[in-house]
Amino acid sequence: MTTMVELPDNWAGMPATFIEGALLAANLSPAPLDPDLWQPILLTGGVDEDNIEPLTTEQKHAIMLRFEQQYVALMKHEYALPQALSLEAARHDGHQAFAEGFLAVWPHIEPAWQEVSVSDGSRRMLSALMTTMLFLHDEQGTLAQMEEAGLASLPSPEKYYQQLALMINEVALAADEVQQGSGARAVNPYKSVGRNDPCPCKSGKKFKKCCGK
């Protein structure tokens, strides 16, 4: 059974349901993301506050353990919502907090998605995931906004909820493919060498006649 983060007794931040969504958003980044960018959100909910106490070592360990558990499940295409967030039951405050956590971290993730090239299918899946999170956060408000925008013919929220696990796993795989591709380019020692430049191996030959053959 999938469970959420086990928070230390001294935790004074957001609830575990919020953290589950926040960690999920961070795990769906198509580019490496510094935890220092999103960890403070787990304390404040994204509200700007002065003099925020940093996470303790114990708190970081608990949070990053759940972060890694999520990542492993996502890479196996096996992530499922924790039992407390099952969508088979009626929506409740926990679902709203989960979506709120996801949406609070997403502004740090979205720019990376805008900069990468992925398939149309992955783009559609990402769009559907965001729509589903908006429904979970405020179903009636989102429906009203969609109607105003002339999008009233879209499937019902329940249709989105039923596909949420699929959306999450598909977007995670797309993000991983982008990161793997970026990593392959990053380790290329000749990526900045022109074909007619002197070869970096100091042979005296042009790159295209030497290591660039």
Side-chain angles (χ1 to χ4, degrees):
M1 181 182 297
T2 305
T3 58
M4 288 180 287
V5 61
E6 295 185 12
L7 296 167
D9 292 338
N10 62 349
W11 181 253
M14 303 304 290
T17 46
F18 179 100
I19 294 172
E20 182 71 15
L23 296 181
L24 182 61
N27 261 321
L28 297 184
S29 176
L33 189 67
D34 186 347
D36 288 343
L37 288 174
W38 52 263
Q39 284 181 349
I41 295 173
L42 307 185
L43 291 169
T44 68
V47 177
D48 290 334
E49 294 183 10
D50 296 327
N51 303 318
I52 301 173
E53 288 290 331
L55 297 176
T56 66
T57 300
E58 180 187 19
Q59 291 168 346
K60 283 185 177 180
H61 176 75
I63 287 166
M64 295 310 294
L65 176 61
R66 179 57 191 152
F67 182 75
E68 293 296 331
Q69 289 172 343
Q70 275 192 4
Y71 178 78
V72 170
L74 289 165
M75 293 304 97
K76 291 182 177 179
H77 210 63
E78 295 176 354
Y79 178 82
L81 290 176
Q83 188 62 34
L85 292 172
S86 172
L87 290 170
E88 295 178 2
R91 308 293 89 78
H92 52 72
D93 290 347
H95 292 110
Q96 184 178 28
F98 169 74
E100 184 180 354
F102 186 97
L103 294 170
V105 170
W106 194 253
H108 295 289
I109 314 299
E110 188 174 17
W113 278 106
Q114 293 175 346
E115 294 174 0
V116 300
S117 176
V118 295
S119 69
D120 290 343
S122 294
R123 288 287 179 196
R124 287 193 295 270
M125 197 67 72
L126 181 60
S127 176
L129 174 59
M130 295 309 302
T131 299
T132 307
M133 290 298 178
L134 291 171
F135 278 143
L136 280 177
H137 185 250
D138 181 7
E139 184 174 303
Q140 293 306 314
T142 300
L143 285 171
Q145 290 179 358
M146 293 171 71
E147 185 173 356
E148 289 179 7
L151 300 175
S153 62
L154 288 175
S156 69
E158 285 299 326
K159 292 290 187 181
Y160 282 88
Y161 299 148
Q162 292 170 11
Q163 299 296 318
L164 180 57
L166 173 64
M167 297 172 194
I168 290 170
N169 285 291
E170 289 293 335
V171 170
L173 288 181
D176 184 61
E177 287 178 2
V178 172
Q179 288 217 35
Q180 293 294 333
S182 297
R185 289 191 293 274
V187 299
N188 177 6
Y190 305 124
K191 64 178 182 178
S192 62
V193 181
R195 286 180 50 77
N196 290 312
D197 290 344
C199 191
C201 75
K202 307 296 184 183
S203 66
K205 300 179 182 178
K206 288 185 177 181
F207 177 61
K208 66 182 180 182
K209 296 290 186 180
C210 191
C211 294
K213 280 186 177 180

PDB file of all heavy atoms in Angstrom, residues 162-194:
ATOM      1  N   GLN A 162     -10.191   9.659 -13.249  1.00  0.00           N
ATOM      2  CA  GLN A 162      -9.971   8.241 -13.530  1.00  0.00           C
ATOM      3  C   GLN A 162      -8.649   7.985 -14.245  1.00  0.00           C
ATOM      4  O   GLN A 162      -8.085   6.898 -14.151  1.00  0.00           O
ATOM      5  CB  GLN A 162     -11.131   7.697 -14.376  1.00  0.00           C
ATOM      6  CG  GLN A 162     -12.461   7.621 -13.645  1.00  0.00           C
ATOM      7  CD  GLN A 162     -13.613   7.313 -14.574  1.00  0.00           C
ATOM      8  OE1 GLN A 162     -13.429   6.949 -15.749  1.00  0.00           O
ATOM      9  NE2 GLN A 162     -14.834   7.439 -14.076  1.00  0.00           N
ATOM     10  N   GLN A 163      -8.155   8.994 -14.963  1.00  0.00           N
ATOM     11  CA  GLN A 163      -6.926   8.843 -15.735  1.00  0.00           C
ATOM     12  C   GLN A 163      -5.712   9.482 -15.068  1.00  0.00           C
ATOM     13  O   GLN A 163      -4.634   9.517 -15.660  1.00  0.00           O
ATOM     14  CB  GLN A 163      -7.116   9.475 -17.130  1.00  0.00           C
ATOM     15  CG  GLN A 163      -8.220   8.842 -17.958  1.00  0.00           C
ATOM     16  CD  GLN A 163      -7.920   7.394 -18.299  1.00  0.00           C
ATOM     17  OE1 GLN A 163      -6.798   7.054 -18.641  1.00  0.00           O
ATOM     18  NE2 GLN A 163      -8.926   6.531 -18.174  1.00  0.00           N
ATOM     19  N   LEU A 164      -5.873   9.959 -13.825  1.00  0.00           N
ATOM     20  CA  LEU A 164      -4.794  10.727 -13.197  1.00  0.00           C
ATOM     21  C   LEU A 164      -3.502   9.924 -13.058  1.00  0.00           C
ATOM     22  O   LEU A 164      -2.413  10.429 -13.354  1.00  0.00           O
ATOM     23  CB  LEU A 164      -5.244  11.244 -11.829  1.00  0.00           C
ATOM     24  CG  LEU A 164      -4.194  12.063 -11.063  1.00  0.00           C
ATOM     25  CD1 LEU A 164      -3.718  13.257 -11.884  1.00  0.00           C
ATOM     26  CD2 LEU A 164      -4.755  12.529  -9.718  1.00  0.00           C
ATOM     27  N   ALA A 165      -3.584   8.688 -12.596  1.00  0.00           N
ATOM     28  CA  ALA A 165      -2.367   7.883 -12.416  1.00  0.00           C
ATOM     29  C   ALA A 165      -1.646   7.701 -13.748  1.00  0.00           C
ATOM     30  O   ALA A 165      -0.409   7.790 -13.813  1.00  0.00           O
ATOM     31  CB  ALA A 165      -2.715   6.535 -11.802  1.00  0.00           C
ATOM     32  N   LEU A 166      -2.398   7.457 -14.819  1.00  0.00           N
ATOM     33  CA  LEU A 166      -1.800   7.309 -16.145  1.00  0.00           C
ATOM     34  C   LEU A 166      -1.102   8.596 -16.560  1.00  0.00           C
ATOM     35  O   LEU A 166       0.033   8.571 -17.053  1.00  0.00           O
ATOM     36  CB  LEU A 166      -2.870   6.933 -17.163  1.00  0.00           C
ATOM     37  CG  LEU A 166      -2.421   6.907 -18.638  1.00  0.00           C
ATOM     38  CD1 LEU A 166      -1.367   5.833 -18.850  1.00  0.00           C
ATOM     39  CD2 LEU A 166      -3.622   6.685 -19.553  1.00  0.00           C
ATOM     40  N   MET A 167      -1.766   9.728 -16.365  1.00  0.00           N
ATOM     41  CA  MET A 167      -1.171  11.020 -16.719  1.00  0.00           C
ATOM     42  C   MET A 167       0.149  11.226 -15.991  1.00  0.00           C
ATOM     43  O   MET A 167       1.163  11.607 -16.590  1.00  0.00           O
ATOM     44  CB  MET A 167      -2.126  12.164 -16.353  1.00  0.00           C
ATOM     45  CG  MET A 167      -3.446  12.183 -17.072  1.00  0.00           C
ATOM     46  SD  MET A 167      -4.501  13.469 -16.331  1.00  0.00           S
ATOM     47  CE  MET A 167      -6.101  13.051 -17.025  1.00  0.00           C
ATOM     48  N   ILE A 168       0.136  10.986 -14.685  1.00  0.00           N
ATOM     49  CA  ILE A 168       1.330  11.209 -13.870  1.00  0.00           C
ATOM     50  C   ILE A 168       2.487  10.354 -14.364  1.00  0.00           C
ATOM     51  O   ILE A 168       3.607  10.844 -14.562  1.00  0.00           O
ATOM     52  CB  ILE A 168       1.035  10.906 -12.394  1.00  0.00           C
ATOM     53  CG1 ILE A 168       0.093  11.965 -11.817  1.00  0.00           C
ATOM     54  CG2 ILE A 168       2.323  10.831 -11.580  1.00  0.00           C
ATOM     55  CD1 ILE A 168      -0.442  11.634 -10.440  1.00  0.00           C
ATOM     56  N   ASN A 169       2.230   9.079 -14.590  1.00  0.00           N
ATOM     57  CA  ASN A 169       3.301   8.179 -15.011  1.00  0.00           C
ATOM     58  C   ASN A 169       3.814   8.500 -16.408  1.00  0.00           C
ATOM     59  O   ASN A 169       5.017   8.426 -16.678  1.00  0.00           O
ATOM     60  CB  ASN A 169       2.820   6.723 -14.922  1.00  0.00           C
ATOM     61  CG  ASN A 169       2.762   6.211 -13.495  1.00  0.00           C
ATOM     62  OD1 ASN A 169       3.789   6.013 -12.852  1.00  0.00           O
ATOM     63  ND2 ASN A 169       1.569   5.993 -12.984  1.00  0.00           N
ATOM     64  N   GLU A 170       2.924   8.893 -17.302  1.00  0.00           N
ATOM     65  CA  GLU A 170       3.343   9.233 -18.663  1.00  0.00           C
ATOM     66  C   GLU A 170       4.180  10.518 -18.682  1.00  0.00           C
ATOM     67  O   GLU A 170       5.194  10.605 -19.380  1.00  0.00           O
ATOM     68  CB  GLU A 170       2.116   9.389 -19.571  1.00  0.00           C
ATOM     69  CG  GLU A 170       1.399   8.080 -19.886  1.00  0.00           C
ATOM     70  CD  GLU A 170       2.243   7.145 -20.742  1.00  0.00           C
ATOM     71  OE1 GLU A 170       3.126   7.633 -21.478  1.00  0.00           O
ATOM     72  OE2 GLU A 170       2.022   5.924 -20.667  1.00  0.00           O
ATOM     73  N   VAL A 171       3.764  11.502 -17.922  1.00  0.00           N
ATOM     74  CA  VAL A 171       4.527  12.753 -17.863  1.00  0.00           C
ATOM     75  C   VAL A 171       5.885  12.514 -17.220  1.00  0.00           C
ATOM     76  O   VAL A 171       6.903  13.076 -17.635  1.00  0.00           O
ATOM     77  CB  VAL A 171       3.732  13.836 -17.100  1.00  0.00           C
ATOM     78  CG1 VAL A 171       4.603  15.062 -16.826  1.00  0.00           C
ATOM     79  CG2 VAL A 171       2.496  14.245 -17.901  1.00  0.00           C
ATOM     80  N   ALA A 172       5.922  11.648 -16.214  1.00  0.00           N
ATOM     81  CA  ALA A 172       7.204  11.326 -15.568  1.00  0.00           C
ATOM     82  C   ALA A 172       8.172  10.685 -16.549  1.00  0.00           C
ATOM     83  O   ALA A 172       9.363  11.013 -16.561  1.00  0.00           O
ATOM     84  CB  ALA A 172       6.964  10.393 -14.381  1.00  0.00           C
ATOM     85  N   LEU A 173       7.680   9.781 -17.371  1.00  0.00           N
ATOM     86  CA  LEU A 173       8.551   9.127 -18.354  1.00  0.00           C
ATOM     87  C   LEU A 173       9.027  10.120 -19.408  1.00  0.00           C
ATOM     88  O   LEU A 173      10.182  10.067 -19.845  1.00  0.00           O
ATOM     89  CB  LEU A 173       7.817   7.960 -19.013  1.00  0.00           C
ATOM     90  CG  LEU A 173       7.595   6.736 -18.125  1.00  0.00           C
ATOM     91  CD1 LEU A 173       6.879   5.637 -18.901  1.00  0.00           C
ATOM     92  CD2 LEU A 173       8.903   6.209 -17.566  1.00  0.00           C
ATOM     93  N   ALA A 174       8.147  11.032 -19.808  1.00  0.00           N
ATOM     94  CA  ALA A 174       8.553  12.062 -20.777  1.00  0.00           C
ATOM     95  C   ALA A 174       9.633  12.957 -20.176  1.00  0.00           C
ATOM     96  O   ALA A 174      10.616  13.303 -20.838  1.00  0.00           O
ATOM     97  CB  ALA A 174       7.341  12.893 -21.200  1.00  0.00           C
ATOM     98  N   ALA A 175       9.463  13.326 -18.900  1.00  0.00           N
ATOM     99  CA  ALA A 175      10.463  14.159 -18.228  1.00  0.00           C
ATOM    100  C   ALA A 175      11.796  13.427 -18.135  1.00  0.00           C
ATOM    101  O   ALA A 175      12.867  14.020 -18.342  1.00  0.00           O
ATOM    102  CB  ALA A 175       9.970  14.545 -16.833  1.00  0.00           C
ATOM    103  N   ASP A 176      11.741  12.138 -17.829  1.00  0.00           N
ATOM    104  CA  ASP A 176      12.972  11.355 -17.711  1.00  0.00           C
ATOM    105  C   ASP A 176      13.685  11.234 -19.057  1.00  0.00           C
ATOM    106  O   ASP A 176      14.913  11.315 -19.123  1.00  0.00           O
ATOM    107  CB  ASP A 176      12.657   9.965 -17.160  1.00  0.00           C
ATOM    108  CG  ASP A 176      13.915   9.146 -16.914  1.00  0.00           C
ATOM    109  OD1 ASP A 176      14.754   9.581 -16.101  1.00  0.00           O
ATOM    110  OD2 ASP A 176      14.068   8.085 -17.533  1.00  0.00           O
ATOM    111  N   GLU A 177      12.917  11.056 -20.125  1.00  0.00           N
ATOM    112  CA  GLU A 177      13.520  10.966 -21.455  1.00  0.00           C
ATOM    113  C   GLU A 177      14.247  12.261 -21.806  1.00  0.00           C
ATOM    114  O   GLU A 177      15.333  12.235 -22.384  1.00  0.00           O
ATOM    115  CB  GLU A 177      12.445  10.659 -22.493  1.00  0.00           C
ATOM    116  CG  GLU A 177      11.931   9.230 -22.435  1.00  0.00           C
ATOM    117  CD  GLU A 177      10.830   8.972 -23.448  1.00  0.00           C
ATOM    118  OE1 GLU A 177      10.500   9.915 -24.208  1.00  0.00           O
ATOM    119  OE2 GLU A 177      10.303   7.849 -23.485  1.00  0.00           O
ATOM    120  N   VAL A 178      13.650  13.387 -21.437  1.00  0.00           N
ATOM    121  CA  VAL A 178      14.297  14.678 -21.700  1.00  0.00           C
ATOM    122  C   VAL A 178      15.585  14.789 -20.889  1.00  0.00           C
ATOM    123  O   VAL A 178      16.630  15.189 -21.403  1.00  0.00           O
ATOM    124  CB  VAL A 178      13.353  15.839 -21.350  1.00  0.00           C
ATOM    125  CG1 VAL A 178      14.097  17.173 -21.429  1.00  0.00           C
ATOM    126  CG2 VAL A 178      12.157  15.860 -22.290  1.00  0.00           C
ATOM    127  N   GLN A 179      15.509  14.403 -19.616  1.00  0.00           N
ATOM    128  CA  GLN A 179      16.706  14.495 -18.770  1.00  0.00           C
ATOM    129  C   GLN A 179      17.810  13.564 -19.256  1.00  0.00           C
ATOM    130  O   GLN A 179      18.986  13.926 -19.262  1.00  0.00           O
ATOM    131  CB  GLN A 179      16.360  14.172 -17.314  1.00  0.00           C
ATOM    132  CG  GLN A 179      15.553  15.248 -16.630  1.00  0.00           C
ATOM    133  CD  GLN A 179      15.945  15.433 -15.174  1.00  0.00           C
ATOM    134  OE1 GLN A 179      17.105  15.301 -14.806  1.00  0.00           O
ATOM    135  NE2 GLN A 179      14.972  15.733 -14.336  1.00  0.00           N
ATOM    136  N   GLN A 180      17.431  12.369 -19.693  1.00  0.00           N
ATOM    137  CA  GLN A 180      18.434  11.435 -20.208  1.00  0.00           C
ATOM    138  C   GLN A 180      19.094  11.993 -21.464  1.00  0.00           C
ATOM    139  O   GLN A 180      20.305  11.890 -21.641  1.00  0.00           O
ATOM    140  CB  GLN A 180      17.793  10.071 -20.504  1.00  0.00           C
ATOM    141  CG  GLN A 180      17.304   9.332 -19.280  1.00  0.00           C
ATOM    142  CD  GLN A 180      18.428   8.908 -18.351  1.00  0.00           C
ATOM    143  OE1 GLN A 180      19.563   8.703 -18.778  1.00  0.00           O
ATOM    144  NE2 GLN A 180      18.133   8.799 -17.075  1.00  0.00           N
ATOM    145  N   GLY A 181      18.281  12.598 -22.328  1.00  0.00           N
ATOM    146  CA  GLY A 181      18.837  13.184 -23.541  1.00  0.00           C
ATOM    147  C   GLY A 181      19.748  14.353 -23.237  1.00  0.00           C
ATOM    148  O   GLY A 181      20.821  14.491 -23.819  1.00  0.00           O
ATOM    149  N   SER A 182      19.332  15.182 -22.273  1.00  0.00           N
ATOM    150  CA  SER A 182      20.165  16.317 -21.880  1.00  0.00           C
ATOM    151  C   SER A 182      21.467  15.842 -21.271  1.00  0.00           C
ATOM    152  O   SER A 182      22.534  16.403 -21.522  1.00  0.00           O
ATOM    153  CB  SER A 182      19.410  17.193 -20.870  1.00  0.00           C
ATOM    154  OG  SER A 182      18.259  17.735 -21.460  1.00  0.00           O
ATOM    155  N   GLY A 183      21.382  14.749 -20.503  1.00  0.00           N
ATOM    156  CA  GLY A 183      22.591  14.223 -19.895  1.00  0.00           C
ATOM    157  C   GLY A 183      23.551  13.698 -20.930  1.00  0.00           C
ATOM    158  O   GLY A 183      24.769  13.892 -20.840  1.00  0.00           O
ATOM    159  N   ALA A 184      23.016  13.054 -21.971  1.00  0.00           N
ATOM    160  CA  ALA A 184      23.880  12.516 -23.017  1.00  0.00           C
ATOM    161  C   ALA A 184      24.613  13.630 -23.741  1.00  0.00           C
ATOM    162  O   ALA A 184      25.795  13.505 -24.070  1.00  0.00           O
ATOM    163  CB  ALA A 184      23.035  11.703 -24.009  1.00  0.00           C
ATOM    164  N   ARG A 185      23.908  14.764 -23.940  1.00  0.00           N
ATOM    165  CA  ARG A 185      24.578  15.875 -24.615  1.00  0.00           C
ATOM    166  C   ARG A 185      25.591  16.540 -23.688  1.00  0.00           C
ATOM    167  O   ARG A 185      26.645  16.987 -24.118  1.00  0.00           O
ATOM    168  CB  ARG A 185      23.533  16.900 -25.072  1.00  0.00           C
ATOM    169  CG  ARG A 185      22.679  16.415 -26.231  1.00  0.00           C
ATOM    170  CD  ARG A 185      21.867  17.563 -26.781  1.00  0.00           C
ATOM    171  NE  ARG A 185      20.874  18.029 -25.830  1.00  0.00           N
ATOM    172  CZ  ARG A 185      19.666  17.499 -25.712  1.00  0.00           C
ATOM    173  NH1 ARG A 185      19.312  16.479 -26.448  1.00  0.00           N
ATOM    174  NH2 ARG A 185      18.809  17.985 -24.844  1.00  0.00           N
ATOM    175  N   ALA A 186      25.257  16.564 -22.390  1.00  0.00           N
ATOM    176  CA  ALA A 186      26.124  17.273 -21.450  1.00  0.00           C
ATOM    177  C   ALA A 186      27.479  16.602 -21.299  1.00  0.00           C
ATOM    178  O   ALA A 186      28.470  17.253 -21.026  1.00  0.00           O
ATOM    179  CB  ALA A 186      25.437  17.369 -20.086  1.00  0.00           C
ATOM    180  N   VAL A 187      27.522  15.274 -21.452  1.00  0.00           N
ATOM    181  CA  VAL A 187      28.795  14.584 -21.257  1.00  0.00           C
ATOM    182  C   VAL A 187      29.610  14.529 -22.536  1.00  0.00           C
ATOM    183  O   VAL A 187      30.681  13.968 -22.560  1.00  0.00           O
ATOM    184  CB  VAL A 187      28.575  13.148 -20.735  1.00  0.00           C
ATOM    185  CG1 VAL A 187      27.865  13.164 -19.407  1.00  0.00           C
ATOM    186  CG2 VAL A 187      27.806  12.303 -21.751  1.00  0.00           C
ATOM    187  N   ASN A 188      29.128  15.113 -23.615  1.00  0.00           N
ATOM    188  CA  ASN A 188      29.887  15.148 -24.865  1.00  0.00           C
ATOM    189  C   ASN A 188      31.014  16.168 -24.733  1.00  0.00           C
ATOM    190  O   ASN A 188      30.764  17.376 -24.672  1.00  0.00           O
ATOM    191  CB  ASN A 188      28.953  15.546 -26.019  1.00  0.00           C
ATOM    192  CG  ASN A 188      29.703  15.671 -27.342  1.00  0.00           C
ATOM    193  OD1 ASN A 188      30.890  15.351 -27.432  1.00  0.00           O
ATOM    194  ND2 ASN A 188      29.003  16.121 -28.367  1.00  0.00           N
ATOM    195  N   PRO A 189      32.272  15.734 -24.675  1.00  0.00           N
ATOM    196  CA  PRO A 189      33.366  16.677 -24.444  1.00  0.00           C
ATOM    197  C   PRO A 189      33.639  17.584 -25.632  1.00  0.00           C
ATOM    198  O   PRO A 189      34.404  18.533 -25.521  1.00  0.00           O
ATOM    199  CB  PRO A 189      34.555  15.739 -24.176  1.00  0.00           C
ATOM    200  CG  PRO A 189      34.223  14.494 -24.927  1.00  0.00           C
ATOM    201  CD  PRO A 189      32.730  14.358 -24.826  1.00  0.00           C
ATOM    202  N   TYR A 190      33.042  17.286 -26.787  1.00  0.00           N
ATOM    203  CA  TYR A 190      33.321  18.064 -27.998  1.00  0.00           C
ATOM    204  C   TYR A 190      32.133  18.913 -28.433  1.00  0.00           C
ATOM    205  O   TYR A 190      32.108  19.392 -29.568  1.00  0.00           O
ATOM    206  CB  TYR A 190      33.701  17.119 -29.140  1.00  0.00           C
ATOM    207  CG  TYR A 190      34.850  16.204 -28.817  1.00  0.00           C
ATOM    208  CD1 TYR A 190      34.706  14.830 -28.933  1.00  0.00           C
ATOM    209  CD2 TYR A 190      36.073  16.702 -28.402  1.00  0.00           C
ATOM    210  CE1 TYR A 190      35.762  13.983 -28.639  1.00  0.00           C
ATOM    211  CE2 TYR A 190      37.139  15.865 -28.106  1.00  0.00           C
ATOM    212  CZ  TYR A 190      36.972  14.505 -28.228  1.00  0.00           C
ATOM    213  OH  TYR A 190      38.028  13.667 -27.932  1.00  0.00           O
ATOM    214  N   LYS A 191      31.130  19.084 -27.532  1.00  0.00           N
ATOM    215  CA  LYS A 191      29.898  19.749 -27.967  1.00  0.00           C
ATOM    216  C   LYS A 191      30.116  21.208 -28.401  1.00  0.00           C
ATOM    217  O   LYS A 191      29.337  21.742 -29.178  1.00  0.00           O
ATOM    218  CB  LYS A 191      28.854  19.687 -26.850  1.00  0.00           C
ATOM    219  CG  LYS A 191      29.243  20.429 -25.591  1.00  0.00           C
ATOM    220  CD  LYS A 191      28.123  20.342 -24.565  1.00  0.00           C
ATOM    221  CE  LYS A 191      28.475  21.127 -23.309  1.00  0.00           C
ATOM    222  NZ  LYS A 191      27.373  21.081 -22.327  1.00  0.00           N
ATOM    223  N   SER A 192      31.194  21.854 -27.905  1.00  0.00           N
ATOM    224  CA  SER A 192      31.443  23.248 -28.251  1.00  0.00           C
ATOM    225  C   SER A 192      32.532  23.412 -29.306  1.00  0.00           C
ATOM    226  O   SER A 192      32.945  24.527 -29.613  1.00  0.00           O
ATOM    227  CB  SER A 192      31.835  24.036 -26.990  1.00  0.00           C
ATOM    228  OG  SER A 192      33.028  23.516 -26.440  1.00  0.00           O
ATOM    229  N   VAL A 193      32.996  22.281 -29.891  1.00  0.00           N
ATOM    230  CA  VAL A 193      34.090  22.328 -30.865  1.00  0.00           C
ATOM    231  C   VAL A 193      33.526  22.314 -32.278  1.00  0.00           C
ATOM    232  O   VAL A 193      32.748  21.429 -32.640  1.00  0.00           O
ATOM    233  CB  VAL A 193      35.046  21.128 -30.667  1.00  0.00           C
ATOM    234  CG1 VAL A 193      36.199  21.206 -31.670  1.00  0.00           C
ATOM    235  CG2 VAL A 193      35.579  21.105 -29.244  1.00  0.00           C
ATOM    236  N   GLY A 194      33.918  23.308 -33.094  1.00  0.00           N
ATOM    237  CA  GLY A 194      33.492  23.340 -34.489  1.00  0.00           C
ATOM    238  C   GLY A 194      34.273  22.337 -35.328  1.00  0.00           C
ATOM    239  O   GLY A 194      35.403  21.964 -34.978  1.00  0.00           O
TER     240      GLY A 194
END
